[in-house]
Amino acid sequence: MSRQRVRVCEVGLRDGLQSIATIVPTETKRRLLDGLVAAGLAEIEVGSFVPPRLLPQMADTPEVVAHALTKSGLTVTALVPNLKGAVLAFSAGVHKIVLPTSASWAHSLANVRKTPNEMIAVVGEIVALRAAMPGCATRICVGISTAFGCTIQGDVDEAEVVRLAGAAIDAGADTVALADTVGYANPAQV
């Protein structure tokens, strides 16, 4: 039997905190990050580069990134929904960005106010931006959210997920991740 490796990317500092009403202090986020690193996690999505007026919980992402970058061996990841967020993430020095590109048109419009095809165009813009920044080695991952179903749209066509994954790679993404955003998937489906 061959050995397989699993790489876990913890997203609680972003996904777990972005939707709560309480704004968690930066120092608390640093301590949480320290605990996750001490527990052995090698990749952590530490925040999101979004307008603070939309997600005030993520306003301190540059500070959390700076702290995370002091951790040897840690891959520091951040979510970015647009070109401006990518500029900020690249400038902050993150190792990897994740662009949320929903397979559900309804979810995409509700989440990022763009269609899935428009988000693929954003991927191309961000890839071009990275290429124009000497020395920028940040990896670009397209996270296809609602890949297994959507609370707004319902069923998501598997062919649309496959099409978007191919389009993301064609646009220059380094990797594509399929996200079971709402917990509908089962092992056989995956």
Side-chain angles (χ1 to χ4, degrees):
M1 178 185 284
S2 66
R3 290 186 62 149
Q4 295 182 8
R5 301 182 125 226
V6 173
R7 183 170 179 100
V8 174
C9 177
E10 169 57 40
V11 298
L13 281 171
R14 193 240 351 132
D15 196 37
L17 300 181
Q18 75 178 10
S19 298
I20 61 173
T22 302
I23 296 176
V24 176
T26 305
E27 185 52 40
T28 302
K29 291 179 183 179
R30 288 182 185 129
R31 285 196 313 272
L32 285 168
L33 186 131
D34 292 347
L36 293 168
V37 170
L41 288 165
E43 183 172 343
I44 301 173
E45 190 172 279
V46 301
S48 178
F49 286 92
V50 295
R53 67 178 164 64
L54 296 178
L55 280 176
Q57 301 89 330
M58 297 292 112
D60 62 352
T61 294
E63 292 83 6
V64 178
V65 166
H67 180 70
L69 289 172
T70 68
K71 306 299 175 186
S72 179
L74 178 65
T75 299
V76 180
T77 302
L79 185 125
V80 300
N82 53 38
L83 188 61
K84 184 175 181 180
V87 168
L88 295 171
F90 291 162
S91 297
V94 299
H95 301 124
K96 182 171 98 176
I97 61 170
V98 178
L99 284 95
T101 305
S102 184
S104 158
W105 283 57
H107 181 266
S108 188
L109 291 170
N111 191 41
V112 292
R113 297 187 198 102
K114 291 186 182 331
T115 67
N117 291 338
E118 290 170 331
M119 282 304 295
I120 294 297
V122 170
V123 173
E125 293 171 0
I126 291 171
V127 168
L129 171 69
R130 178 183 65 182
M133 296 178 72
C136 183
T138 302
R139 292 185 311 277
I140 298 171
C141 175
V142 170
I144 300 180
S145 47
T146 66
F148 301 97
C150 175
T151 55
I152 302 169
Q153 176 179 305
D155 290 339
V156 172
D157 186 0
E158 184 178 297
E160 176 64 0
V161 175
V162 171
R163 182 191 73 78
L164 281 172
I169 295 299
D170 290 345
D174 298 308
T175 59
V176 173
L178 304 182
D180 183 20
T181 311
V182 295
Y184 285 3
N186 63 61
Q189 185 182 20
V190 174

